Amino acid sequence: MISIRFKLSLWLSGLIIIATLIGLFLFESMLRDAFHDSIINRLEEDLEHIIIATRLDEGEIVIDQNQLSSFYRPAYSGRYFQLNLPDRTIRSRSLWDAELQIEQLQAQQKRVWQAKGPKNNDMQLLSIGIGAPNSHNTATLTVAQDLSIGRRVFSEVFGTKLAINIGMLLAMIAGIFIILRQSFKPVNQIQGALAKLREGEIASLAISQIPAEIRPLAETYNELLDYTAKQIERSRNNLGNLSHGLKTPLAVMQQQVEALGLTHPDAAIAMQQQLDLVHKMIERKLAAARITGDMLPAAQLAVPKDFDSLIQTLHKVHHQRSIDCSIVNPQHIGRIPIHREDGMELFGNLLDNAFKWANSQVHVSIEELPSGVILIQIEDDGLGVKQEQIALLTSRGTRLDEATIGHGLGLSIVKEICDQYGFVLQFSRSKALQGLNVSILMSN
């Protein structure tokens, strides 16, 4: 999903670009109209000057070009005039040998149009009919201006304006990205705080550092964390109370077993084995409660810290055996994508099972595959499991060896946790240690 900051950047940039294009279009239209109006005004002024410079000389109409602008003198200067009389034509010197194609107009009639002129350049022309009203003996006076020079000036002005607008547009877009980046800094800080929370470095989000817009969400998140932490603490206390509460009845049963041993030694031995089993289960659960007691509810499983805690606890539980447990983590993965309490129960059961069945070695490997999936393998050098019995491993209450201490619940709990998180649980024979190999594939 596209981030909010990126969406805002796109929308604001798009609005600015559209506004700039509309502004450029309006400016170009206004500039073109102003350019056209200024040419027409100049041509009207030229008409007045030429009319003033026109006089009769020995019965003939002449135009004194000395009274006119010097622009009419150089050949093809871009400023022209032409007076079409009934019997002859008077042209400006700037027309040289060219002649304008003019339509005769009636008296006081005006015409504004564009046509090709000398050198095949576009020209703006203004004509007016001169003569007495209702008289057929009229003249047509025309002034013209080459548009090429004006258009070049127009292009320069518009090009300068365009360059300035593009520069301002780029500056505004850059400003938008900078402003949004600064505005979203608190969100980035929240992401960092959540990462610390996941790693167990902090217990809750600092509300004072969070913007007012998302502060209610952070407060609700903190309340949820507090509630979850209390639930975990309550469960841990209940487990501890249950374990401690069983000690007194077990002590009484221990005395009865000792008394029974005087008369029925075989029955006493069988009951003593079951009592020892209950004692070890209680010790294991109390050790697990101590491990999970200080966990933060949002924390993920840490590597190798949490694995080391599990291994140390299992060494104490299986103190009568010498098990060498090694962890291989070549990519130095620091976090496992599972809630720490669930992770401790998941891998605690797997490692406990490996410790029970191993002869002397347990091997744990952690690696991230090219697809981004994390693969965790726990291997032991025990007898392993036959292929036809693998399906029974995760059945609740099923034990493949009745001589081994346990109730057959460990691997079924492992399967339930894996199903809950969508992990892939696989069993096979270890190629390196020849015992059981348990593999878990975790989507990161």
Side-chain angles (χ1 to χ4, degrees):
M1 183 176 180
I2 302 177
S3 67
I4 296 177
R5 185 174 73 178
F6 188 69
K7 283 184 178 180
L8 285 174
S9 301
L10 287 180
W11 277 104
L12 292 176
S13 300
L15 288 175
I16 289 178
I17 291 173
I18 292 173
T20 301
L21 292 176
I22 293 174
L24 284 173
F25 174 77
L26 294 176
F27 175 78
E28 189 268 346
S29 179
M30 294 172 61
L31 184 62
R32 191 178 297 278
D33 291 342
F35 173 68
H36 179 266
D37 292 343
S38 67
I39 291 178
I40 297 301
N41 291 335
R42 178 179 294 176
L43 292 177
E44 289 176 345
E45 291 178 0
D46 288 349
L47 277 177
E48 293 178 0
H49 292 159
I50 294 172
I51 292 173
I52 293 172
T54 303
R55 57 185 174 84
L56 285 173
D57 186 8
E58 297 180 357
E60 290 186 356
I61 296 177
V62 295
I63 298 176
D64 187 1
Q65 297 199 22
N66 292 326
Q67 297 183 29
L68 301 178
S69 171
S70 59
F71 283 106
Y72 293 109
R73 296 174 187 172
Y76 309 126
S77 64
R79 299 274 292 278
Y80 315 105
F81 72 83
Q82 181 173 301
L83 178 61
N84 290 77
L85 299 170
D87 56 346
R88 61 193 179 95
T89 300
I90 301 175
R91 298 174 298 167
S92 64
R93 187 180 301 173
S94 56
L95 277 171
W96 199 245
D97 56 352
E99 184 174 345
L100 302 178
Q101 301 300 317
I102 304 299
E103 293 182 7
Q104 292 296 119
L105 302 178
Q106 299 296 324
Q108 304 305 316
Q109 184 181 357
K110 275 190 177 183
R111 184 189 178 200
V112 178
W113 82 104
Q114 291 184 3
K116 294 291 184 181
K119 297 185 177 180
N120 204 34
N121 291 334
D122 290 333
M123 290 193 309
Q124 182 69 54
L125 300 96
L126 174 61
S127 297
I128 186 172
I130 302 174
N134 301 323
S135 173
H136 296 287
N137 190 18
T138 60
T140 301
L141 177 60
T142 302
V143 289
Q145 180 170 332
D146 192 329
L147 294 177
S148 60
I149 299 175
R151 285 177 176 172
R152 185 164 59 248
V153 174
F154 173 85
S155 299
E156 291 176 356
V157 173
F158 185 75
T160 302
K161 173 66 174 176
L162 179 63
I164 293 173
N165 280 10
I166 291 175
M168 293 177 62
L169 176 64
L170 294 176
M172 285 189 288
I173 292 175
I176 286 173
F177 278 91
I178 293 173
I179 291 172
L180 288 178
R181 182 177 180 182
Q182 294 297 321
S183 300
F184 276 84
K185 265 191 174 181
V187 178
N188 296 334
Q189 293 173 356
I190 293 174
Q191 291 178 340
L194 289 173
K196 291 182 179 179
L197 190 65
R198 186 172 61 250
E199 293 172 0
E201 297 180 11
I202 58 176
S204 62
L205 298 175
I207 301 298
S208 60
Q209 304 295 327
I210 297 177
E213 291 80 3
I214 55 177
R215 189 172 297 167
L217 178 62
E219 291 173 348
T220 304
Y221 188 74
N222 279 347
E223 291 173 1
L224 180 61
L225 286 176
D226 183 60
Y227 174 78
T228 307
K230 289 179 180 178
Q231 288 293 98
I232 294 174
E233 179 66 20
R234 190 177 296 114
S235 298
R236 185 178 70 91
N237 291 336
N238 290 338
L239 179 61
N241 293 336
L242 176 63
S243 299
H244 286 293
L246 289 173
K247 287 187 176 181
T248 300
L250 288 175
V252 174
M253 292 177 66
Q254 182 68 41
Q255 293 176 357
Q256 296 296 324
V257 168
E258 292 176 357
L260 183 63
L262 298 176
T263 56
H264 299 84
D266 293 337
I269 292 174
M271 293 189 65
Q272 184 64 51
Q273 290 177 347
Q274 297 302 315
L275 283 176
D276 291 341
L277 173 61
V278 173
H279 277 296
K280 288 183 179 180
M281 288 183 64
I282 291 174
E283 290 176 1
R284 186 178 292 112
K285 292 301 179 181
L286 286 175
R290 286 193 296 270
I291 292 174
T292 61
D294 297 328
M295 290 182 184
L296 295 175
Q300 289 186 339
L301 195 68
V303 181
K305 177 183 175 182
D306 292 330
F307 277 90
D308 290 340
S309 298
L310 284 172
I311 292 170
Q312 290 175 8
T313 301
L314 290 170
H315 275 305
K316 293 178 183 179
V317 173
H318 300 275
H319 59 87
Q320 74 280 6
R321 305 180 62 200
S322 178
I323 303 295
D324 178 24
C325 184
S326 61
I327 299 177
V328 177
N329 183 15
Q331 296 166 313
H332 302 288
I333 297 172
R335 299 284 159 183
I336 302 298
I338 184 174
H339 188 286
R340 185 178 291 180
E341 185 180 8
D342 292 336
M344 295 295 278
E345 185 171 9
L346 171 65
F347 293 106
N349 278 294
L350 288 176
L351 287 171
D352 183 40
N353 184 76
F355 268 70
K356 284 191 295 185
W357 291 94
N359 292 322
S360 62
Q361 294 185 48
V362 173
H363 181 75
V364 180
S365 63
I366 305 171
E367 65 174 321
E368 183 175 357
L369 303 180
S371 60
V373 175
I374 294 178
L375 171 62
I376 300 179
Q377 298 183 87
I378 298 177
E379 306 170 81
D380 63 68
D381 61 347
L383 297 176
V385 179
K386 295 179 180 179
Q387 187 66 31
E388 59 271 14
Q389 294 177 319
I390 285 181
L392 301 175
L393 287 176
T394 56
S395 298
R396 182 173 290 270
T398 300
R399 291 170 54 208
L400 301 183
D401 187 353
E402 297 295 335
T404 303
I405 294 175
H407 284 85
L409 300 179
L411 294 181
S412 65
I413 293 173
V414 167
K415 185 177 185 303
E416 289 176 1
I417 295 176
C418 288
D419 291 342
Q420 178 185 351
Y421 281 88
F423 299 156
V424 178
L425 177 65
Q426 297 174 341
F427 297 95
S428 62
R429 178 170 291 277
S430 171
K431 295 181 180 179
L433 302 181
Q434 300 303 312
L436 180 64
N437 177 13
V438 183
S439 302
I440 299 179
L441 292 169
M442 300 178 167
S443 298
N444 198 351

